[in-house]
Amino acid sequence: MPTGVPIEFAGLTKRFGPVAAVSDLSFTVEPGRVTGFLGPNGAGKTTSLRMLLGLVAPTSGSATIGGTRYRDLASPLTTVGAALEAASFHPGRSARDHLRVYAQAGRIDPQRVDIALGIVGLSEYANRRVGGYSLGMRQRLGLAGALLGDPGVLVLDEPINGLDPEGIKWIRGFLRTLAAEGRTVLVSSHLLSEVQQSVDEVVIIARGTLVHRGPLSSLEIEGAATKVIVDSPNREALAAALTAASASFEIARAGILVSGLEPAEIGHIAFVAGVEVSSLHRQKSGLEDSFLALVGEGGSL
Amino acid sequence: MNLFFPALKAEFTKLLTTKIWWILAIILFLYVAGVSGGLGALFGFLSRSAETDASQAPPTDVLAPMLYGSVSTFGYVFPVLLGALAITSEYRHQMLTPTFLATPKRGVVLAAKSVALLVFGALYGVIGVIASVGAGAGALALFGLDAQLGDSDTWALMGRAVLALALWAVIGVGLGALIPNQVAAIVVTLAFTQFVEPTLRAIVSFAEWAAAVGKFLPGAASDALLGAPSFFTMGMTGETLEWWQGGLLLAALALVLSVLGYFVSWKRDVT
């Protein structure tokens, strides 16, 4: 079983003319965990990953895998597996031939081609031309390419894009398995909700700079105070009762959004006022809220 | 070197797992066979026909090499296209990402591609020679003219035709690296080989001063490498390079285009 090595970003900076796509990015990704690399579209995630993989030259700083730059790795594909975009295929080539090309270039046992196709569930489509693949199948083929060399480090850029619900469920479990095997797993996404079930650590960037890093739970602590959603068949009466109890609230589409009170307290207020309650629960998006607060809602493209 | 041979193997697989190489090979065969056989029949007919002034047809002793040389004069566009497509499809289908992930040393990839195309160009040369010699000799035999197949010069010409087309495929790689846009690369290749160069070579045969320059045109250098009398001079002894000079000129062209392409597009960021 290949074991992971840390990925280290040190002062990584990329300028496109006067625009800084990534500025002074420094963090370490540890093995044995799934690390979510999060940020809105245009935050510099893909550029950072491409610099890590030697596809884009950094303006300054460095990104290394186990202390070595990607282009200096003795055997890149068996050290790092990367899936960067869903379209890097010649449409006229079959999935098997596509993987065969890169297995040859990377000196990988040709038997790994069918193994990788089996892992991602593409075995029965292996001889079909990639031009006829759906977006979800292309994502799976990209992932098969990353797994070709059975690497200890996986770098996946938006791997969940375009997957169907079954595929999303599968990849979440798969990422956990890879990390449990001791591999280093770095997964980028612009949606926290997409990866929050599978990541242990989060690294959040916005406008090319690091804004937060730590375990997933660290987002809850920093998060905004949670709100409670309450609704009634008679919303006016409920609003009046809440006003009488001097609770702070706002009327939303799904019901009344109360802040500063626990669900039990709100239930009591309604009970005392004799108002029927049709729903009463804590708003679930605490993590998402703190994520949006960190990246700045205006920063989303 | 431990990256080069795996990369070379991968480049061969890339070429063999898409259709374009054999589609172009078939067109090359039909086109060259058509030109060589057709012109062979036409000139054969003219030289046999009593009413025709014999000067309209080229002298019969240069007719055979001239027909056999059509593999270069008319066929060289096909290995150029194959080479250009091999490299521009990497850009077009965003395959540079997986390619450079497997082989991070980019110069190694470009070298591997050039060598793979050199081999495929040589294969095209063999196919083209079979077409030009097969059809041309057949047409000459039909009119009772000497096909010169026993002549060692003819066999040297065939060997050098294979070398010429091999070099042209590498020139295609350099051209593709220099012009990564696939459509633009195809248009430039076709416009230059089918219009610009033939026009220039036709003009050259009318002006003394131009002939001195014209022999350095790549198509002229290719014909010179073969040592075949060109259709453009109709067998007359125009100014041409020595065969080895022609070969060196093509090799230099391939090298210059590849080096320029490396710096212009190949080593850029892949985004």
Side-chain angles (χ1 to χ4, degrees), chain A residues 93 102, chain B residues 4 7-12 14-15 82-91 95-96 99-100 106-120 169-170 173-174 177 266:
Chain A
R93 209 170 269 144
Y102 299 104
Chain B
F4 178 78
L8 180 61
K9 203 174 160 195
E11 290 302 329
F12 278 123
K14 276 182 195 171
L15 283 164
L82 184 73
L85 286 171
I87 203 149
T88 53
S89 68
E90 297 260 359
Y91 288 95
M95 280 155 47
L96 286 177
T99 298
F100 290 157
R106 299 189 184 182
V108 171
V109 181
L110 195 58
K113 213 178 254 299
S114 298
V115 172
L117 264 299
L118 190 75
V119 173
F120 265 78
V170 185
V173 172
W266 197 247

Side-chain angles (χ1 to χ4, degrees), chain A residues 14 50 55 70-71 93 104, chain B residues 13 17 101 105 269-270:
Chain A
K14 178 67 180 182
R50 287 186 168 274
L55 296 167
Y70 189 89
R71 55 169 291 130
R93 209 170 269 144
Q104 286 173 349
Chain B
T13 308
T17 49
L101 286 177
K105 303 269 197 281
D269 289 351
V270 183

Side-chain angles (χ1 to χ4, degrees), chain B residues 115-142:
Chain B
V115 172
L117 264 299
L118 190 75
V119 173
F120 265 78
L123 175 71
Y124 274 32
V126 172
I127 292 167
V129 164
I130 292 170
S132 71
V133 176
L140 292 178
L142 205 63

Side-chain angles (χ1 to χ4, degrees), chain A residues 2-285:
Chain A
T3 44
V5 291
I7 299 171
E8 194 174 1
F9 293 83
L12 196 63
T13 301
K14 178 67 180 182
R15 299 186 155 275
F16 293 110
V19 186
V22 177
S23 14
D24 198 23
L25 193 63
S26 300
F27 64 93
T28 307
V29 181
E30 298 294 342
R33 275 175 257 173
V34 180
T35 302
F37 187 36
L38 307 170
N41 290 331
K45 297 186 301 292
T46 301
T47 304
S48 304
L49 296 181
R50 287 186 168 274
M51 285 193 276
L52 171 67
L53 298 166
L55 296 167
V56 167
T59 308
S60 64
S62 69
T64 54
I65 296 125
T68 310
R69 285 189 310 160
Y70 189 89
R71 55 169 291 130
D72 297 327
L73 291 171
S75 177
L77 291 191
T78 58
T79 313
V80 184
L84 285 185
E85 57 207 318
S88 292
F89 315 109
H90 192 294
R93 209 170 269 144
S94 71
R96 179 175 282 131
D97 284 339
H98 170 78
L99 293 180
R100 218 152 54 82
V101 166
Y102 299 104
Q104 286 173 349
R107 284 168 299 164
I108 290 163
D109 180 357
Q111 292 190 330
R112 285 290 307 171
V113 169
D114 285 322
I115 295 173
L117 285 169
I119 295 172
V120 301
L122 282 180
S123 295
E124 57 179 306
Y125 309 102
N127 292 323
R128 199 187 280 185
R129 281 157 36 103
V130 180
Y133 272 30
S134 68
L135 179 57
M137 289 163 82
R138 284 161 194 251
Q139 280 286 24
R140 285 170 186 257
L141 180 53
L143 195 59
L147 297 169
L148 203 54
D150 196 18
V153 178
L154 281 143
V155 177
L156 310 174
D157 194 13
E158 304 270 359
I160 292 168
N161 260 1
L163 287 183
D164 52 19
E166 187 208 355
I168 293 174
K169 192 178 166 208
W170 167 78
I171 198 168
R172 281 176 176 156
F174 185 61
L175 294 176
R176 302 247 28 105
T177 311
L178 292 169
E181 287 168 353
R183 297 177 215 249
T184 312
V185 184
L186 182 61
V187 183
S188 83
S189 178
H190 60 281
L191 289 172
L192 174 66
S193 56
E194 246 182 20
V195 294
Q196 74 182 56
Q197 294 178 30
S198 36
V199 300
D200 307 291
E201 298 276 328
V202 288
V203 173
I204 300 173
I205 66 167
R207 290 172 292 277
T209 51
L210 184 70
V211 294
H212 179 86
R213 59 160 309 204
L216 183 65
S217 56
S218 66
L219 281 180
E220 282 181 75
I221 297 154
E222 292 195 9
T226 52
K227 293 180 179 179
V228 175
I229 298 172
V230 60
D231 206 3
S232 162
N234 187 353
R235 245 187 224 185
E236 288 79 22
L238 181 61
L242 287 167
T243 310
S246 58
S248 78
F249 65 89
E250 54 191 301
I251 312 274
R253 189 167 44 82
I256 299 174
L257 215 53
V258 187
S259 39
L261 288 176
E262 288 299 304
E265 294 172 292
I266 297 163
H268 181 72
I269 292 167
F271 176 74
V272 169
V275 180
E276 182 187 345
V277 168
S278 56
S279 80
L280 174 61
H281 58 88
R282 222 183 270 279
Q283 197 181 24
K284 279 184 203 148
S285 52

Side-chain angles (χ1 to χ4, degrees), chain B residues 241-267:
Chain B
L241 298 170
E242 292 296 316
W243 74 266
W244 57 270
Q245 289 174 320
L248 283 179
L249 195 107
L250 291 186
L253 184 62
L255 190 69
V256 167
L257 287 175
S258 297
V259 169
L260 279 179
Y262 177 81
F263 286 106
V264 167
S265 74
W266 197 247
K267 71 188 277 283

